[in-house]
Structures are given as C-alpha cells and as structure tokens.
Amino acid sequence: MKIGGFYSDSISNGVGWRAVLFVSGCPHHCLGCHNQESWDKDYGEPYVEDDIYNQMMENPFLDGLTLSGGEPFLYCQELFSLVKRVKATGLNIWSYTGFTFEELLRWAERNADVQQFLQEVDVLVDGKFLIEKMIPKKRFRGSSNQRIIDVQASLKKQEVVLYMA
Ligand code: SF4
C-alpha cells in the first residue's frame, strides 16, 4: 500500500483538529476529482504504520484521524491496526469513501476485513463526488449526494443516521 500524503494537523477534513492520511488507489474516477494522482495505487510513498502513529502521538491536541484518498476501503486490512491503535488513545476516526454506506454494508456481509474496519469508523463521508451536484464551500463534502454519517449509530439501527446534515 502507498500513501500520497499525510498531514499531522488539519482543521478542514472533519470536526476538530485532525491528522489526515491520503491513501493511493481509487476505482471511482469521479469527473472533477481534485486528487487524480491518487487514482494510481503506486502513487507516493510506502505506508509505514509506526511513522503515522508516532507523528500523531507527537501532537497532544489532535481530536482524531481522517482517512482520505484515494479510496480507504480498498485497504481495510492494511489500515485496521493503525485505526485500532489510534482509537485506543481516545481519538476518533473519520473516513472518506466513494462507496455508499449501503454498498459498504453489502460488501461487509461477504468480507470480514470490511466488516471489522467499519466497526472502528466513527464518521463516514460517503459517495462519489458528482460534479453536477457540486456544493461549493460546504463543510467536509463536495457534492450534495454525499452524506456525513454516524457509523456506529447507523450500524446499530441498520439504517443511515446522519452525523451532520
Ligand atoms: S472517490 Fe474521491 S479520490 Fe476517488 S475519484 Fe472520487 S473524488 Fe477522487
């Protein structure tokens, strides 16, 4: 797995002060994507879990980690250990995905890695970026089809519970 970038502090990729990890590889190819270099799974540097974790632990003010890309759900197995370690420190996990929450639930039924990973995600910003539904300057999402979802409440209810409209 390769990563296209890592920010150890950001306030624009989720609520609070966050680290942001951009994974490489995306199958969605949304028209108007601002991060097209991330479509290539070989773009960037090798992922080293300890490097990311250690950089995060150097910042005592972080609220959490945001996974972006690229498509984080291509790497549920690879990211699981980092996500578990980060959550064990009391920080939260946001993830962007080009899949819808419903697609991820169906995938999780036949893939234990996806199921296990979803159990650790607190907030999901789901769906492809659709240029015809673009909403400039909307917090945390690029098009109106995308939803900001409370994952744990949604898993419990087995239907989408929005974290933020
Ligand atoms: S899902 Fe995200 S990274 Fe992938 S093509 Fe769409 S906007 Fe770009």
Side-chain angles (χ1 to χ4, degrees), residues 15-138:
V15 171
W17 198 355
R18 317 191 61 77
V20 190
L21 180 64
F22 296 88
V23 302
S24 295
C26 186
H28 303 296
H29 296 191
C30 309
L31 186 65
C33 170
H34 287 294
N35 201 8
Q36 291 193 15
E37 63 274 15
S38 74
W39 295 1
D40 178 0
K41 68 178 176 41
D42 293 320
Y43 174 72
E45 305 295 323
Y47 167 68
V48 181
E49 178 185 319
D50 282 346
D51 285 354
I52 303 297
Y53 180 79
N54 291 338
Q55 284 186 68
M56 285 188 68
M57 294 305 111
E58 283 171 14
N59 184 348
F61 303 111
L62 282 181
D63 293 293
L65 171 66
T66 297
L67 303 168
S68 189
E71 173 52 66
F73 277 81
L74 294 183
Y75 303 109
C76 293
Q77 191 179 39
E78 292 84 347
L79 292 168
F80 184 69
S81 170
L82 174 67
V83 158
K84 281 290 274 188
R85 289 170 74 189
V86 167
K87 287 206 78 172
T89 68
L91 302 184
N92 61 46
I93 304 292
W94 281 49
S95 183
Y96 283 81
T97 179
F99 297 106
T100 63
F101 182 70
E102 291 80 0
E103 287 170 333
L104 291 178
L105 283 185
R106 286 196 292 277
W107 193 8
E109 283 174 11
R110 56 183 200 282
N111 186 311
D113 292 329
V114 175
Q115 189 176 48
Q116 187 170 250
F117 187 71
L118 258 185
Q119 297 287 347
E120 302 298 332
V121 175
D122 297 292
V123 178
L124 189 74
V125 185
D126 84 330
K128 291 183 185 180
F129 169 67
L130 298 180
I131 199 161
E132 66 275 18
K133 294 189 173 179
M134 186 167 77
I135 36 174
K137 296 188 180 162
K138 193 80 179 171

